[in-house]
Each structure stands twice: as C-alpha cells, then as structure tokens.
Amino acid sequence: MDKFVYMFDEAINKTKELLGGKGANLAEMTRIGLPVPYGFTITTETCNKYYDAGKSISPEMERQVLDALNTLEEKTGKKLGDPSKPLLVSVRSGAVHSMPGMMDTILNLGMNDDTVEGLAKLTDNPRFAYDSYRRFIQMFSDVVLKIDGFYFEQFLEEIREEKGYTSDPEMTAEDWKEVIKGYKEIVTKHSKRAFPEDPKEQLFLSISAVFDSWNNQRALVYRRIQNIPDHLGTAVNIQSMVFGNMGNDSGTGVAFTRNPSTGEAELYGEYLINAQGEDVVAGIRTPQPIATLQDEMPEVYQQFVDTCQLLENHYQDMQDIEFTVERGKLFILQTRTGKRTAQAAIRIAVELVKEQLISKKEAILRVDPDQLNQLLHRRIDDLYERKQLAKGLPASPGAATGQVVFDADEAEKLAKDEIKVILVRPETTPDDIHGIVAAQATITSRGGMTSHAAVVARGMGKACICGCEALKIDLKSKQFKVGDTIVNQGDVISIDGSTGEIFLGEIPMIEPQLSDEFQLLLTWADEERKLGVRANADNPEDAKKALDFGAGGIGLCRTEHMFMDAKRIPTVQEMILAETYQEREDALAKLLPMQQEDFEGIFEAMQGNPVTIRLLDPPLHEFLPDKEELLVEVTKLQITNSNAKELQEKEQLLRKVRQLDEMNPMLGHRGCRLGMTFPEIYVMQAKAIFYAITKLVEKGIAVKPEIMIPLVGHVNELKEMRQLVINAALNIEEETGQKFDYLIGTMIEVPRAALTADQIAEEADFFSFGTNDLTQTTFGYSRDDAEGKFLQAYIENKVLPENPFASLDQDGVGKLVETGVKLGRGIKPGLKTGICGEHGGEKKSIQFCQDVGLDYVSCSPYRVPLARLAAAQANIKHEQKQRELQIQI
Ligand code: PEP
Ligand code: MG
C-alpha cells in the first residue's frame, strides 16, 4: 500500500525527492538529536496523487494523516482541539528545491474558541493566546478561504485608532478578543461560511491549500525562472508549534552559518524578541543582528552557535537555519542549504576545501556556473567620490542604475520596453517577484537581510538594499523622500548593493575583476576539465580580455565585424558596388591592409594560442544602407532636383541594394556562397591573414592560424574554397619566402553538412559546429524572427522545454552534432571538433559537448570563466556516469 506520511523519526534514509528539502532535513535533524519540535511529513508523491485525483484527499491519505496525528499527540502529550492540553501545529509547504516564500504556510492551527481559553490558562498569558488566535484566523482566511488580508488589516487599524494605540504591543487580551469577534464577522461576510472551529477540518483544508499553492501564480513564475520542473510537487510538513511570542524570554530568528553575501565565515542573521517566525521573514519589523543575542540570552546564544557548527559540519555546507526560543528554550525549526551570491558561493567552496570538509572536485560542483554572471557585473568606480542620498542594509551585492518605480507590474512593463528600473517598495512579498526579476535592483525601506526581497534578489544575483528606513515612501503619490529631497517615479538613481548606499542620478561604473578565490577555483577547474575553452572575439581588446579570463585561444573571429567599422564602410561599399572586376580588385586592395592590421592585432594579443578566423559570412546587402531609407532620400532628391551628382550616386546605390535584396537572406547569398561567387573577397582575406603572419613571425611572435569556411553544405564548396586559401598561401610563400603552418576547416551549421560530415572531413582539418545557424536550419526557425514572435509563447506553453537558441536542443540539433562528430572522426580519427554558437557558454550544452567528445567550446570572453567551471563539472559528471555504467556491467 502507498505510504503517504512519515513521522520525523521514521523517515530515516528517505530521499529529499520524497520528503521535500524541509521534510528531509527535519528528519535528519531529529535523527542527530537536535531540539526539533516533533511532527510528520506528507510526501511529494501524495501531492501528485492529490492532483491526479482532481484535487482530492483520498480516504487512505486521510487515514494515514489521522494516524500520524495520533502519534504526534501521544508523543507531545497534547491533543488537537483539547482545551485542557491543546496541540497547535504549523502546516508548511516543502518542495524538493527551496522556493522561499512562494508557497503557503499556516501557523497556530488547532485554535478555536475553546482551545484559546485553554491556552490562555495554561500559559497564564491570555494576551498571547488571543493574539495567536487572531493571527491564525487571519492566516487561515488568507491561505484557505482566500479572503484578502486587507479587510483584517483595516479592521485592526480601526480598533487601534479607536483605542488610541500606535502599535500592536499596546493591545490587551480584551482588545484582541474584540478583534477576533470582528475577524469572524469578516470571514462570514466574505466566504459565506462560518470560520471552521473543528481543528481536523482546519487541518485537512490547510493540507489541500498547501498542495494547491504548488500551482499558484508566484510559484509557477519562480519555477520557470529557476528551471524547476512542475511535476515534482510539494511535501507538507505538520509540526507542533513552539512560540517565540510568549514574552521577552522568547523570540525567533533566522541565521546563516556563513555570510551569504560575501561568504565570510561568521554567523550571520537576525532575530526578533517576542515575535513569531513569519515576522522576521515578512520584513514587517526590522530585526536585531544575531550577535546581540549573546548579550540578551548568553546560554541560548552559545547553544545556537554550537548547533550551527554541528549542522554545517554535518551537511558540509553553509546552512540557513530558522530557530525559535520559547521561554528560554531553543528549538531548531528548519535547516537548509543557504542561498548565496556567486561571490559567497566561491569563497565558501574554496574555504571548505581549506578546512578539509570537502574535496576540490566537490568545491567545483558547488558553484553554479549560471551564477557567475553576477561576478562579471560592473561595480561603482573606486575613484567616484560617493555622495550618498541614503544608506540601508547591503542585502545583495552589485551596482545598478535605473528609473525609480514603485510597483512590480510597472517595473515589468517598463523593462519590456528596455527601460532600466529600480524597484522601490516598503517591503516586498512573493507577489512582487516578477518586478524583482524585471528590475535592475530592488530597495525596501523595511525588513532585514533575510527578508523576502533580500533572499530572492541574492538568489538571482541582483543588487538589493533592504531596511533603508530613511526612505519615506509614499506609494499613492509615487515618490519617496529622504529629508528634504524628493525622488519621483521616473527619476534616475544608482545603488551599491555591497554597501547599501543609494545615490541620485547615474554614477560611473567599472568593469569586473576575478577575486583570488575565484582564480583559485578556476585553476582547480582547469585541472579537472578535458574540454578546451576558447573565446569568440573579433578585435585585440576582446582577445586580450579572453586571455585574461583564461581562454585557450579564439574559436571564432567573425571577420564581418571588421567590415562594419564606420571608417571602412565606404571602401566596403565601393567593393560591393564595383561594376567591373578591376574596380572590385581596387577596392579590395584598399581593404587588405586594414584586415591585415586587424589580424596582426589579434594574433599578437593571443600570444601563440590558436586563432580561428572565419571568412566573410553575412550577405553583402548588410553593408549597404536600408532600402526604404534610401528610397525616401532618392525621392526627395528627385523632387527638389537640387543635386544631380548626389542623386545619381544614390540611384546607383539603390539599384545595387535592390539587386542584392533577398526574400530570405538567412538562407540566401551568404557564407561560403559569397566566396564561391566573389572569390576575390575570400582571396583578399586569406592574403591579409598570411601577410599578418609574416609580420608577426618577423617580430618573433608565434602564430597558430586556423582558417574557417562558413556555411558549407556540400563538400565541393569546401574543396573549392580550401584550394583558394591554399593558393593564396602558396603565392605569399613564394613572395616572402616564408613557410606557413596553418589549418583549414569548416563550420558545420546546416543539417546537410552534419549528415555528410564524412565527405566533408576529407577536405577539413577541423570542424566547428555553428549551432546558432544549425538550430535555425534544423528547426526551420528564423533566428531574427522566432524569439520576438512565437518562441516565448512556445516556452511558456511548454511546447518547447526551453529556448533552443540559448540551450542546445540535444534531441534534434544535438543528434546532428553527434552524427557530424562520428562521421568526421570515422574518416579522420583525430579530427579536431569544437562549438562556437552561443551554446558554447551555456552549462547544459557544455555538458553535452563533453559527452559527445568535442575538443573545445568557444563563447564570448565574459563567459569564459563560466565555461571553464562548467567544463570541469561536465568532466566530473561524465566520469561519474562512466563509473556507474561500469558498476552496472
Ligand atoms: C553559428 O551559426 O553558430 C555561428 C557561430 O555563426 P554566426 O552566429 O556568426 O552565424
Ligand atoms: Mg553561423
């Protein structure tokens, strides 16, 4: 029979997939003897069964929950609904992957008109009892009965005003009773039913609501951003309550065992005295730093510090721990692997190796390559004299500039129009997640370093400042004030998330550098990886940057970028407009030294590392003015009849543009097809390369050129272009007396090339898979149109699992790559193969490249560090897989 429910001490050795992250950790902490309030976990499989049955809890599930409840009651000596010894429980979601704040939670379940009296008597604290009850009604109504919290807040505000209070602690037990009465009336009015007094009914309604919250809007959005599969489902944890709001000897808090922003090995967290868990996370009251707990409760603090150490050693990773102190006694409510910035992830991984807690391989696997983008972000120039407007808590590092917006929807809307915005809110809730995603950075005036905004922003690598109380935000008039300064929606501000500073206007930023720990981790990665990592670079500056970031060569130098230089365009146009062979030769002769200079710069920057130069690829009309604009100009000149010479020139240009115009340029006269019809262009480029080599050899600088022919679909194209390059080399060898050592290879970027790679290999010294075009031609999706037109909808509706232009489609495009490698190596066993499409800098695609045996990946210079790490992870995982296969055999 299916087992739906596990008690915490029964769930030993059960997986996180079954129990959810929270449930698995609660079971583990119970096993190692930590003070965890007792309870049980309903599995993730149960959630899926609940959905399969049309969102219904089966009688068997119900029976198992009731059995577990019995055990819980026996163990705690309390009983759900019994006023003389009331058991109160929390009902919390807990997915396999942490999804902070995205799903629902209910606290204090079991309260009703009877148990509240019992609790008041037992604790001798009626004020606490009634406060807990009203909190429960409000939370239950929100999560289960879907009544807007606003009605309750408004009512509470009225009562407070009537009594002349400014804050909740002034409320007496009698006042809370009055609030409860009003709250119940709100429930009856808005849900057309009385508030459920039966605790078992409360329990089952809450379990369903938590299951339902797996598919609420914010959870769906979060999963899409984090690539978490929808089919996993959430577990539900039911745990006896402990109370942090029982007076000044109680409290609740959250702490990380290391600083999640910087990675420093220090306890980092905050707490609130006389408060309940959600108060810290929700960011409604600004909490105290954890260090001050040492003065307020020295023994509890010491016990907590020891527990943190124990948990970190046990899990061998930084932990994010929730705790509650109930009348001087410490309880651990939850531990999980703490979310961290990229900077912290690297430092923690490196230091855990130094502390001999984990191996270098493990450290490499601990850092998510996708996160590294954060480190390659710009920061505020050190030379900038900082004149801050205000300062809050440095919740997530990085610098950002943007227009102020006060609303998540607005942030999303403006970001869609490519306007950079900074989201400013009193606090954020999980409903604001799309705004945080869209904004460059987020600022809140309330809440601490572990508030919702901080946790979410850190996870995404976005800058964030929290608890900036100097900001007096007025959401209605869309402005905030700091002293006398007023900042309106639309005004530009800048922030430094590493210091918590806010500045007016835009301020100077500088390029990123790699920290010592990052460099060290990358050297470990280099020892582990088999894949080479090269960069796509078209000029000496990018080449230098690539080398600084550890690239082993250039995998793609797109020569057309050299043609697009504004100063060169007239000569390029001259070449295109040439009516005779001689005119074209003259223009090419002018272009040759320019190209040669480019190649010399790149070869020199690369210091003897291989450089793959691709001959011209795009259709020629790309170098001419836009047809429509030209037509307007010609028409104007015809009407004014003012400048006959200019008119004649423009008319000639227009004629040529029309001649070159194509219905479908991506599939048109481009790539090696240009070289076939205008061989003199490729000859010029080849000569420029060989002259450049001659110059560098004279200077004593080594060069490893690899000349690449684009968009080959038939071996005869390559045969002809190869001969053309060889002839150019021979001519210059004869002219200069130099002997050249070079390779000639091809891009594999149309399906026919992959399918006939055995024939093509006969003529190629290497293959470079151009997976941008190969994706385009395999799917038949135009690169320029798909992303803006239908691809987003395809991804949202799950027609495609993800954007195939970003992450390689392994089933289709990948199969062609694999076929190409196999066929090519069948002819030439050592054939060098690489990838130079965008996928070369994406971790899953890199894993694929490793698995099919490519020699290298090539990506933009800024992605080189990411690719080095991902390549190391790919090799470690590949070896793991091989070992597992061997064991099976
Ligand atoms: C490719 O097609 O993958 C490629 C690298 O070439 P480009 O993007 O320049 O067409
Ligand atoms: Mg291409």
Side-chain angles (χ1 to χ4, degrees), residues 74-345:
E74 275 164 26
K75 188 104 166 197
T76 55
K78 297 176 183 175
K79 209 164 168 46
L80 201 66
D82 182 345
S84 65
K85 39 185 182 346
L87 171 69
L88 301 183
V89 295
S90 61
V91 179
R92 293 173 197 261
S93 57
V96 178
H97 303 279
S98 146
M99 296 171 53
M102 298 301 142
M103 289 179 289
D104 289 328
T105 284
I106 291 165
L107 303 176
N108 301 333
L109 188 141
M111 298 221 72
N112 59 22
D113 289 352
D114 297 331
T115 51
V116 70
E117 303 285 345
L119 189 69
K121 249 191 239 134
L122 273 177
T123 56
D124 198 18
N125 192 344
R127 193 193 167 280
F128 154 75
Y130 289 104
D131 182 14
S132 304
Y133 190 19
R134 72 90 197 176
R135 283 171 189 259
F136 172 56
I137 298 174
Q138 190 167 346
M139 207 174 218
F140 187 91
S141 302
D142 172 22
V143 173
V144 180
L145 305 173
K146 310 287 177 214
I147 304 172
D148 199 323
F150 165 80
Y151 298 112
F152 299 97
E153 295 293 346
Q154 193 187 35
F155 181 71
L156 180 55
E157 187 73 43
E158 277 169 23
I159 297 274
R160 264 199 308 249
E161 246 168 52
E162 196 183 297
K163 311 267 171 200
Y165 302 151
T166 53
S167 66
D168 287 354
E170 293 169 71
M171 301 278 285
T172 65
E174 287 309 309
D175 297 334
W176 283 130
K177 273 192 197 171
E178 202 178 325
V179 171
I180 289 164
K181 193 160 163 287
Y183 273 14
K184 288 195 163 183
E185 282 163 15
I186 294 173
V187 171
T188 314
K189 181 164 171 219
H190 291 278
S191 73
K192 309 275 178 283
R193 62 159 295 169
F195 184 79
E197 293 274 330
D198 173 4
K200 289 201 175 123
E201 186 185 1
Q202 294 172 355
L203 179 65
F204 284 103
L205 285 173
S206 301
I207 293 171
S208 297
V210 172
F211 281 153
D212 292 346
S213 72
W214 172 251
N215 280 332
N216 70 29
Q217 199 50 32
R218 51 183 201 256
L220 289 172
V221 172
Y222 188 84
R223 287 206 293 277
R224 200 174 62 230
I225 296 164
Q226 302 285 340
N227 268 327
I228 299 174
D230 288 331
H231 69 265
L232 296 177
T234 180
V236 182
N237 297 292
I238 292 158
Q239 189 174 24
S240 56
M241 291 286 302
V242 285
F243 293 95
N245 53 347
M246 287 185 90
N248 287 338
D249 56 355
S250 304
T252 188
V254 181
F256 292 83
T257 55
R258 296 182 192 227
N259 185 320
S261 263
T262 64
E264 196 179 336
E266 59 173 4
L267 199 57
Y268 175 98
E270 47 205 7
Y271 69 101
L272 279 168
I273 287 290
N274 200 8
Q276 220 171 357
E278 297 303 295
D279 298 343
V280 181
V281 184
I284 293 162
R285 278 163 63 191
T286 300
Q288 308 247 75
I290 194 85
T292 53
L293 187 65
Q294 190 163 19
D295 305 326
E296 293 202 49
M297 299 181 186
E299 276 170 34
V300 168
Y301 179 77
Q302 194 50 48
Q303 194 192 347
F304 182 62
V305 170
D306 295 344
T307 308
C308 286
Q309 194 59 55
L310 190 137
L311 282 170
E312 190 177 277
N313 290 348
H314 184 74
Y315 287 104
Q316 300 176 333
D317 202 355
M318 183 260 263
Q319 296 294 298
D320 165 1
I321 300 168
E322 276 180 28
F323 68 96
T324 284
V325 182
E326 184 183 274
R327 293 190 159 162
K329 183 168 168 18
L330 174 72
F331 289 94
I332 305 296
L333 300 189
Q334 164 169 319
T335 190
R336 59 185 169 189
T337 303
K339 291 214 176 295
R340 61 202 79 182
T341 62
Q343 184 191 347

Side-chain angles (χ1 to χ4, degrees), residues 657-669:
V657 168
R658 282 190 167 138
Q659 220 175 48
L660 295 174
D661 193 29
E662 292 178 311
M663 292 302 285
N664 203 336
M666 272 293 176
L667 297 178
H669 194 185

Side-chain angles (χ1 to χ4, degrees), residues 224 416 781 785-804:
R224 200 174 62 230
K416 275 206 177 116
Y781 293 168
D785 299 321
E787 282 176 299
K789 297 244 159 59
F790 58 88
L791 210 49
Q792 209 46 43
Y794 266 35
I795 296 160
E796 265 162 32
N797 301 331
K798 305 214 168 352
V799 177
L800 292 178
E802 52 199 319
N803 180 351

Side-chain angles (χ1 to χ4, degrees), residues 534 610 706 743 765-768 825 830-834 855-856:
R534 297 192 185 186
E706 299 177 347
L743 302 179
D765 302 325
F766 65 90
F767 284 173
S768 178
R825 292 216 173 121
L831 185 75
K832 182 149 69 171
T833 54
D855 295 302
Y856 68 88

